[in-house]
Amino acid sequence: MTSENGKKVLISGASFAGLSSAYWMSELGYDVTVVEVGPGLRTGGTAVDLRGGTVDIVRRMGVLDAIRANRLHLRRWEFKNADGSTERAIVVREEGEPPPEDEFEIERNVLLDILFNAVQGRARFVFGDSVAGLAETADGIEVTFSRGVPGVFDLVLGCDGMHSGVRRLWFGEESQYAHFLEQYFSITILDKLLIERDTAQLFNVPGKAVMLNAYKDKTDVILGFVSETEIAVDHRDEARQRRIIAEQFAGLGWRTPEMLEEISASASFYFDKLCQIRMPAWSRGRVVLVGDAAYCASPAAGMGGSLAVHGAAALADAMRAADGEHVLALRLYDERFRPFVDEVQAQAVKTGLESLVPRTEEAIRARNAKTGADF
């Protein structure tokens, strides 16, 4: 790789934020290295929504046509009762109605591949390694790795998710910035249709939710439950996490027993708490955070993919406005993008949490009785 501006940037995490940042930093003339602790791109996870201004950003990146060609087409939401009857249905899009051009839903793995292809030749990728130490000097930042040879960079971008290692090394422990939203969730992706394609179904009892989302030849099974206190469980302890889900949802109605069997038999399983990352500053010195590492809004926002892609572009736009002067650029990034992040995080707390997992029977009935296309 060659650097047009004589500067080098290290990006930790080959995520939406990391891949998007790699694209924009290469556009700015940086020599770009991406280090990812996994052996390859991290696959799995539910579909991603790209909305509003993020659509303009992926158009600028030249990947909108590929996203459009692979978009999903949700047509109908159904709120289910324990006996399998549908209490309320929302028609998102009529048969034959063209999908909107300001919002795109796409499989997470497909979007990762699209972004990865967009940065081929623009960055070098190092898989199976991670940042182990950071030390800033007058002219750069020295980085040591878990496996690789140390290096010196002009900037380090932490794009390594909610449990960011770069954030822990440089800004302090996760507990300082993670705000628990009193919910946990699991995701299992099955390679078969359990309900009609392009349909989502949601079943609730107070404090618990079972959701199915069917598209192409797959069904996402998402279970969520309220917990007013945090559960002591390591985010890498999958066996314990599976037991928690089995215990929380034992005995529930509708198709819950069937879903628990499907989850038990599937290798696909992801579990975590719903929380938001809130930081007083996203940068210090030559280290800056992008995406969930800096401002995770939680899946309740439905904006994780959009915030990651949008944040990478916001940082690049700030770098461009500051003519590459990193101190000014990182201040502009924070000042200009934070109001949008604050709005998304506030909306997730205000409406997202209670809409998906209402805590009372009255709240479930009130949500199901709403009119219109939103809930």
Side-chain angles (χ1 to χ4, degrees):
M1 307 297 297
T2 58
S3 169
E4 295 178 13
N5 63 9
K7 296 181 178 180
K8 300 194 299 181
V9 61
L10 175 71
I11 297 172
S12 175
S15 58
F16 294 142
L19 296 175
S20 300
S21 294
Y23 176 89
W24 290 114
M25 297 306 286
S26 71
E27 283 285 290
L28 292 171
Y30 281 81
D31 176 274
V32 180
T33 299
V34 180
V35 61
E36 164 59 47
V37 66
L41 297 180
R42 293 194 178 191
T43 57
T46 57
V48 177
D49 282 327
L50 302 175
R51 308 174 187 170
T54 311
V55 175
D56 293 329
I57 290 166
V58 295
R59 181 182 289 111
R60 286 165 56 193
M61 295 174 71
V63 297
L64 180 57
D65 287 345
I67 290 170
R68 183 184 289 110
N70 288 279
R71 76 186 308 176
L72 303 179
H73 300 280
L74 180 66
R75 293 187 299 103
R76 182 180 174 90
W77 265 99
E78 296 177 350
F79 297 95
K80 309 299 287 189
N81 293 317
D83 62 4
S85 61
T86 299
E87 183 169 345
R88 176 189 172 211
I90 301 173
V91 177
V92 179
R93 187 171 52 86
E94 297 285 358
E95 193 71 39
E97 179 184 350
E101 282 296 302
D102 62 349
E103 181 173 351
F104 293 81
E105 185 181 23
I106 184 170
E107 291 172 85
R108 184 181 184 278
N109 293 355
V110 173
L111 181 57
L112 272 177
D113 285 340
I114 290 172
L115 293 176
F116 186 62
N117 289 336
V119 297
Q120 292 302 296
R122 291 174 171 266
R124 69 174 62 81
F125 285 83
V126 180
F127 290 102
D129 204 352
S130 61
V131 176
L134 298 165
E136 189 162 355
T137 67
D139 301 319
I141 184 155
E142 298 174 350
V143 182
T144 55
F145 298 93
S146 298
R147 296 183 178 181
V149 177
V152 179
F153 300 86
D154 294 276
L155 288 173
V156 172
L157 275 56
C159 302
D160 44 352
M162 187 178 78
H163 303 299
S164 169
V166 169
R167 187 186 61 230
R168 176 178 50 78
L169 286 169
W170 199 243
F171 298 90
E173 291 298 323
E174 182 177 308
S175 58
Q176 298 180 57
Y177 309 111
H179 294 257
F180 179 50
L181 299 181
E182 299 187 351
Q183 288 187 23
Y184 284 85
F185 68 101
S186 74
I187 301 168
T188 295
I189 301 175
L190 304 175
D191 291 323
K192 58 183 175 180
L193 289 172
L194 298 180
I195 59 176
E196 184 179 352
R197 189 193 314 269
D198 301 327
T199 300
Q201 295 182 348
L202 181 62
F203 168 70
N204 290 97
V205 298
K208 291 184 170 66
V210 179
M211 189 175 94
L212 305 181
N213 181 31
Y215 52 92
K216 296 185 177 177
D217 57 353
K218 299 179 181 180
T219 306
D220 295 346
V221 180
I222 303 163
L223 307 185
F225 66 92
V226 169
S227 177
E228 293 184 355
T229 58
E230 289 195 52
I231 300 171
V233 56
D234 191 289
H235 69 269
R236 294 172 290 258
D237 188 351
E238 183 177 313
R240 171 89 195 288
Q241 295 163 6
R242 285 178 177 270
R243 289 196 300 272
I244 290 170
I245 287 294
E247 292 165 2
Q248 284 285 335
F249 288 86
L252 262 65
W254 189 49
R255 300 177 66 176
T256 307
E258 176 193 351
M259 294 307 105
L260 291 176
E261 287 187 15
E262 292 282 3
I263 292 170
S264 177
S266 174
S268 169
F269 183 82
Y270 176 82
F271 174 95
D272 211 336
K273 62 186 176 183
L274 278 184
C275 76
Q276 292 185 340
I277 300 297
R278 304 176 196 158
M279 302 185 68
W282 300 330
S283 65
R284 182 166 68 84
R286 294 176 179 269
V287 179
V288 58
L289 304 176
V290 182
D292 281 354
Y295 33 76
C296 175
S298 87
M303 289 283 287
S306 278
L307 275 182
V309 174
H310 207 143
L315 174 59
D317 289 344
M319 295 289 292
R320 194 172 288 110
D323 197 25
E325 202 286 297
H326 76 274
V327 175
L328 174 59
L330 300 186
R331 179 169 62 81
L332 290 176
Y333 163 56
D334 200 305
E335 289 177 355
R336 294 176 177 181
F337 195 53
R338 188 174 289 270
F340 178 61
V341 167
D342 289 345
E343 180 183 341
V344 171
Q345 290 191 331
Q347 193 65 25
V349 172
K350 182 179 179 181
T351 60
L353 295 176
E354 281 302 310
S355 294
L356 293 170
V357 193
R359 296 188 180 213
T360 66
E361 190 66 34
E362 292 77 14
I364 295 171
R365 302 279 77 80
R367 181 207 60 197
N368 291 0
K370 281 184 180 179
T371 59
D374 297 317
F375 66 93

